Amino acid sequence: MRGTSMKLQSLRRTVLGISAAALLAAGAAVPGHAAEAADPVLRDLAAAHGISYGTAVTGAKLTGAYADVAGAQFDSITPGNEMKWGSVEPVRGDFRWSGADAVVDFAEARGQKVRGHTLVWHSQLPSWVENGSWTASGLRTVMTEHIKTAAGRYKGRIDHWDVVNEAFDEDGTRRQSVFQRTLGDGYIADAFRAARAADPAAKLYLNDYNVEGLNAKSDGMYELVRSLKAQGVPIDGVGLQAHLIVGQVPPSLQANIQRFADLGVDVAVTELDIRMQLPATEAKLAQQKADYAAVTRACLAVSRCVGVTVWGFTDSDSWIPDFFEGQGAATPYDEGFRPKPAFYGIAEALGWTGDPGPGPGPGPVDGCAVAYAVQNQWSAGFTAQVTVRNTGTAPVNGWQLAWTWPSGQSVTQAWNAAMNQSGASVAAANVPYNASIAPGGSVTFGFNGAWSGGNAAPAGFALNGRPCATGTAQAG
Ligand code: 9MR
């Protein structure tokens, strides 16, 4: 297993040769600290230990700086949504593969492995499956046909399939999904057998969340894996999703990985993110760094732990703010693609001994004011200018201005800032040439946006997490 990774590393070096330094030379739009030539490359560091470091991606975002970082830093890609049943067969017999194909093509062009996610899951199921009135044999046929079609389409191109996802309730008993209710306990063995038949080379995984530490749910999963192995069911691995909370990495993580490994299966951390209550503070980011390092070290400590995948590498592409109100900042890069302390925590756990530099993330701000002006507006679009003034006494070195749209607007194009939008939340980050704002100084950036119905100004702005006064920041 680890030998394979070493081979992949040398292939990548000679054929692709992408590195942070090359990105910098190519002028890639990774603002702030991200494009430092001395920054570590996680996929190289991981390969030196024979493990993999991967990321989930949103296929539609795989251009520009997002694609550059995903391609340069990670050796494994998981499509975040594009391979789910609801995405590929929303209507029975009507298959839509373009999203999944694009992610697989992206990964192959960069020498990256692909984790297929996921074949049998109770969620993001098309309604025709979830709400159909099935006989057991009818649903079994539909399930095994789906596995045959999806795993068969990518035969030989997927390293690991999450064959069955989230099969357990928190108490370790089976989740009462449509599959469990209709087919009974045996559906999991059937799914693994169908996946093996469709793609014999893929490693077949059982994947779940809240099973990272020793607890009732991971006990249930352990018992199932033990019994599947005893019956000769073709299961190769266990995926621990690891959607964690800052400061709460389970102390028994390594012991849990080890007990699964001792059953004769591989283990992977498949969906790592570590969320916090916003705003992010230096103390929380430092704890998060320690947490990312701890998870990485736990995997390194068990020889059958084959790698770690983060569930989104940038805070601009994370499910957390949409699902946990007031929480976020869960990934290793900020919304402007700048590495956070967590990124260096991973690198250090993988043996990197370089200098993370003066401050990878935006630092504290002791006073700010923002002037927001719509300069031009037409039927569905507008141009706005934003001036941010440092009204404090300390220099700002690296900044991110956040706001929430009041009436459904969206940013379409930006200048003098790197902008990202997730739902109604906008983050505008500095570009390399305007990262510093001296006390009393200001920076101005602009953007085009789309609106319909209303185009009210945002109610407030926060600079590096600190609320700013509004309407008083004249350009200067
Ligand atoms: O990241 C995925 C997000 O975009 C979807 O909205 C969400 C819907 O449930 O699924 C997210 O990914 C999930 C993954 O497929 C399985 N484990 C939990 C992940 C977070 O919800």
Side-chain angles (χ1 to χ4, degrees), residues 42-298:
L42 299 183
R43 59 187 286 174
D44 291 349
L45 295 170
H49 292 273
I51 71 163
S52 165
Y53 231 95
T55 183
V57 295
T58 298
K61 296 184 180 175
L62 282 171
T63 60
Y66 182 95
D68 291 340
V69 176
Q73 285 288 343
F74 301 96
D75 67 3
S76 174
I77 293 287
T78 305
N81 288 299
E82 292 79 357
M83 285 185 176
K84 291 171 181 174
W85 199 332
S87 302
V88 301
E89 197 187 4
V91 174
R92 190 166 190 174
D94 178 2
F95 292 97
R96 303 183 189 178
W97 298 108
S98 58
D101 285 354
V103 176
V104 174
D105 291 346
F106 175 91
E108 288 180 345
R110 289 159 183 77
Q112 295 171 304
K113 294 179 269 203
V114 180
R115 282 197 72 90
H117 177 81
T118 172
L119 294 170
V120 181
W121 186 29
H122 69 278
S123 181
Q124 291 179 279
L125 265 183
S127 141
W128 68 269
V129 177
E130 190 168 3
N131 302 317
S133 42
W134 300 108
T135 61
S137 78
L139 185 59
R140 189 174 299 106
T141 302
V142 162
M143 181 187 81
T144 51
E145 278 299 312
H146 171 69
I147 294 168
K148 189 174 159 188
T149 308
R153 178 177 182 87
Y154 298 107
K155 182 177 176 180
R157 302 171 71 192
I158 302 288
D159 281 82
H160 307 105
W161 264 112
D162 289 331
V163 176
V164 176
N165 195 37
E166 301 175 3
F168 289 94
D169 277 332
E170 297 304 293
D171 65 358
T173 62
R174 292 292 186 90
R175 181 192 291 275
Q176 293 301 309
S177 66
V178 65
F179 305 105
Q180 180 72 32
R181 290 195 315 270
T182 314
L183 305 176
D185 285 351
Y187 86 90
I188 293 182
D190 289 344
F192 276 86
R193 291 192 178 103
R196 177 69 93 227
D199 186 355
K203 300 283 185 194
L204 305 181
Y205 274 64
L206 181 68
N207 195 50
D208 217 323
Y209 64 92
N210 287 353
V211 291
E212 294 73 32
L214 298 167
N215 57 37
K217 190 172 186 180
S218 65
D219 286 350
M221 194 174 188
Y222 178 87
E223 183 48 35
L224 173 64
V225 174
R226 194 197 59 69
S227 119
L228 293 175
K229 291 290 286 181
Q231 296 166 61
V233 174
I235 178 171
D236 302 304
V238 164
L240 312 179
Q241 292 184 9
H243 294 293
L244 303 177
I245 296 170
V246 158
Q248 297 183 31
V249 176
S252 55
L253 174 62
Q254 185 183 323
N256 192 40
I257 295 174
Q258 185 68 59
R259 74 167 169 164
F260 281 108
D262 291 344
L263 287 176
V265 290
D266 294 336
V267 180
V269 176
T270 52
E271 303 184 13
L272 177 62
D273 51 26
I274 307 183
R275 62 187 184 266
M276 63 182 71
Q277 197 67 36
L278 296 173
T281 61
E282 271 186 88
K284 289 183 219 175
L285 293 170
Q287 180 64 52
Q288 187 185 48
K289 174 181 182 179
D291 294 342
Y292 267 94
V295 173
T296 304
R297 280 197 308 267

